Amino acid sequence: MSVPASFLYQLTGSMSEGAAGNPTGAMMEAAFAHHGLPWRYINMEVPSATLADAVRGARAMGFRGFNCSIPHKIAVIQCLDALGRSAEIIGAVNCVVERDGRFIGENTDGIGFLRSLETILPPAEKELVILGAGGAARAIAVELALAGARHLTIVNRDARRGSELAGLITTRTNASASFVEWSATFRLPKSADALINATSIGLYQPDALPDIELDSLRSDSVVADVVFNPVQTRLLKEAAARGCKSLDGLGMLVNQGATAIEYWTGITPDARVLRAALEHAMGV
Ligand code: NDP
C-alpha cells in the first residue's frame, strides 16, 4: 500500500439543522474519491444559535468551504466577507467558498437546476413558468433570467411573495416577469416552453399534485420538479403520460453539488459518479 504525501485533508461540509436526513455527503465524498482528491465533506448539525461560532470555527480550522441548508441560507450572510453575483440578487447562500482567505457566499441551487435543464432545454429566449416563490423558486428564477430566459411567469399562492419575486427579476435582470396569483387551477399557456414545480408539493407525498390543468401540458412541453423524494413525483408521471420531456429533482441536487466541488477544488467532477452515489445512499 502506498503512503500518502500528506495525512491532512482539505475540509468541506454542510451546516444545517436536521442534518441526519441530508444525503449529500455520500455523493460529495464519492466524487472526491473518484477524482483522487484528498478532500472530506463533513455533515454538521448546527443550531441557529451557534451558526456564527460554527463559521468562525470553520475559518479557524481552514475549511475550504461548506454548504448551508435549512435554516441557515439567509442568516449565514452576516458571517461572510462578500457575496457572488447571483447570491447577492437571490439574497440567500447555500455554498460558501474560501477564496484568498475570505469566505464568499455563492448560491448553487439555481445553477444546479439550470445545468440540469440545459441538458434538454437551453433557457435562452424561452418562456418559462415557475410554480412557487420560496427559496428554491427564487434561486431558479434568478439563474434562468441571468442565463437569458425571455419571460418568467411566477405562479404562487402568497401574492406578496410571488409579486416580489417577479419584481426582483424585472428590476435586477434583463428578463421580463409576471405574477399570477394561484387561487384557481392553473392552465399552462400555449406560449410557455416549460413548467417548473419549485414548490414543496409532492415532497414525501407520492400522490400530491400541484393544482394545474393537466390537459394544458403538451407533448412538446418540458416539465421539471425540484422535489427529489420521491424521485418520480406524481407531476412527473402525469407529464410523462402526456409525452412531455421531464426532469427530476435529483438532477438539480447532483448539479448543485458538482458546482460546489468545482468552486472549491477547481475540478469539474463527473456528475454520473455523484448521481450514482446519491441514488445508492437514497436507496433508489
Ligand atoms: P420554501 O418554504 O421557501 O417555499 C415553499 C414554496 O412552496 C412556496 O412558494 C409555497 O407557497 C409553496 N407551497 C407549499 N405548499 C403549497 C401548496 N399546498 N400549494 C401551493 N403552494 C405551496 O421552500 P424551498 O423553496 O426551500 O423548497 C421548495 C422545495 O424545493 C422543497 O421540496 C425542497 O426539498 C426542494 N429543493 C430541492 C432542491 C434540489 O436540489 N432538488 C434544492 C432546494 C430545495 P406560498 O409562498 O404561497 O406559501
Side-chain angles (χ1 to χ4, degrees):
M1 207 174 86
S2 65
V3 177
S6 166
F7 292 101
L8 191 62
Y9 288 99
Q10 302 294 321
L11 296 177
T12 65
S14 171
M15 296 187 188
S16 67
E17 285 183 20
N22 183 355
T24 308
M27 70 173 185
M28 305 301 262
E29 294 235 314
F32 291 153
H34 178 79
H35 292 284
L37 294 165
W39 289 57
R40 296 301 307 269
Y41 187 96
I42 319 293
N43 191 17
M44 297 169 281
E45 179 73 20
V46 177
S48 291
T50 55
L51 176 65
D53 288 339
V55 175
R56 268 193 293 277
R59 286 185 197 270
M61 289 184 283
F63 267 62
R64 303 296 302 275
F66 54 91
N67 286 128
C68 281
S69 195
I70 293 168
H72 304 319
K73 290 184 183 184
I74 296 172
V76 74
I77 292 175
Q78 62 193 6
C79 309
L80 305 178
D81 300 306
L83 297 181
R85 183 173 177 224
S86 62
E88 186 267 317
I89 300 175
I90 295 163
V93 164
N94 78 325
C95 180
V96 174
V97 186
E98 183 272 323
R99 292 185 185 123
D100 301 325
R102 301 168 79 222
F103 272 1
I104 311 297
E106 300 282 1
N107 195 308
T108 60
D109 278 335
I111 296 173
F113 179 82
L114 180 65
R115 285 188 169 185
S116 189
L117 182 69
E118 276 169 347
T119 60
I120 56 171
L121 182 78
E125 294 306 319
K126 296 293 188 299
E127 180 179 331
L128 308 144
V129 173
I130 300 175
L131 303 177
R138 236 176 129 82
I140 289 170
V142 168
E143 294 297 349
L144 290 175
L146 294 179
R150 183 171 48 77
H151 185 82
L152 301 179
T153 303
I154 310 297
V155 182
N156 201 51
R157 228 175 18 180
D158 180 315
R160 188 193 52 78
R161 269 222 276 192
S163 51
E164 203 238 307
L165 177 52
L168 179 76
I169 297 303
T170 316
T171 51
R172 298 294 310 273
T173 76
N174 292 329
S176 62
S178 53
F179 167 63
V180 174
E181 189 171 341
W182 203 357
S183 50
T185 305
F186 179 75
R187 203 175 163 77
L188 187 68
K190 283 200 174 70
S191 53
D193 299 290
L195 175 78
I196 300 154
N197 176 38
T199 74
S200 45
I201 299 168
L203 182 63
Y204 305 125
Q205 296 170 300
D207 296 329
L209 188 65
D211 186 12
I212 58 165
E213 200 81 66
L214 288 171
D215 290 343
S216 67
L217 302 179
R218 306 174 315 267
S219 59
D220 60 342
S221 316
V222 168
V223 177
D225 209 324
V226 299
V227 170
F228 60 85
N229 197 342
V231 180
Q232 282 303 310
T233 59
R234 169 122 184 256
L235 174 65
L236 294 186
K237 287 180 183 163
E238 297 285 358
R242 285 160 181 79
C244 308
K245 282 190 190 157
S246 67
L247 269 184
D248 65 44
L250 273 193
M252 173 177 173
L253 191 59
V254 162
N255 281 303
Q256 64 81 24
T259 306
I261 290 178
E262 215 170 288
Y263 281 159
W264 294 330
T265 70
I267 284 173
T268 304
D270 185 339
R272 291 169 305 183
V273 172
L274 280 93
R275 180 150 185 143
L278 187 61
E279 286 181 350
H280 180 72
M282 292 176 63
V284 293

